[in-house]
Amino acid sequence: MKKHTIIITIFVLLAAVMQAAADSVWMPMDDYFMDAWKPESDNTCEHLERPFYLAAGEKGYVTAVKTPLDLTPVNTYPNGTEFKITFVCGKGDSLWGAVEAVRMNGETTFREDWKGESGYIFFSDLVRSYDSEAFKEDHVKELVSSGEDDFDICAGNEFVLWQAPNSGVQLEYVYEGYLTYICMDYDESIPPEHRMFHFGAFYRDPDGKRWAELSLRRDWETGWVNLDDLTGGGVKE
């Protein structure tokens, strides 16, 4: 096999793997979660569009358990710890959030649970984080139309996706290689809902810095990009 053929083959395989990963949804890897989707199950699990929550337990901490049926403790977190809760499971007043990622108080980034073994936290012990939607509600009169014309995402410049402008909470460091993938099939004629990314609101902070709301992977991750300092303050893992 010729060298250029091998390179093309590897590229196609990598692109296929990346697309599957980008379009897939994280989920816990336990029997409780799998059984909750069976028609005969009394429990259900729902995907959350706004997944970020803070620990706010009455005792000053929250406990993650193995599953809502197996209350074996997995970990304990002090109040103020932030979680990405992708699914909430259960029924009635017995609702449990499945932990996808954890950010300790004072840290910039989340630690992703790639194995799906971080357990569940009683949903009543959590409060919603100050996310992109909350920021827009607070600054609704200061928002303008999309800043898409001010930022060419497909130019290949790496950037940080922040939870909200000046929040200091990093959702994702977007690398050049990943940009190549999400822009591979980009065409302005394609409706935003069918793209791997799309822009939302535009905001200028008190220091004059321009921010654009951006959703990646068709709404799985929504945050803000500092158009005047694309990677400043970010953690390149």
Side-chain angles (χ1 to χ4, degrees), residues 31-45:
D31 291 339
Y32 169 85
F33 183 81
M34 300 303 174
D35 290 344
W37 299 94
K38 294 180 179 179
E40 64 272 19
S41 174
D42 290 334
N43 293 307
T44 59
C45 291

Side-chain angles (χ1 to χ4, degrees), residues 86-120:
T86 305
F87 290 94
V88 61
C89 301
K91 57 183 179 180
D93 294 330
S94 182
L95 296 178
W96 297 80
V99 179
E100 175 182 348
V102 180
R103 185 185 68 84
M104 302 305 293
N105 191 17
E107 293 184 350
T108 301
T109 61
F110 286 84
R111 288 175 288 172
E112 189 84 15
D113 173 21
W114 298 109
K115 295 183 178 180
E117 299 174 347
S118 289
Y120 299 74

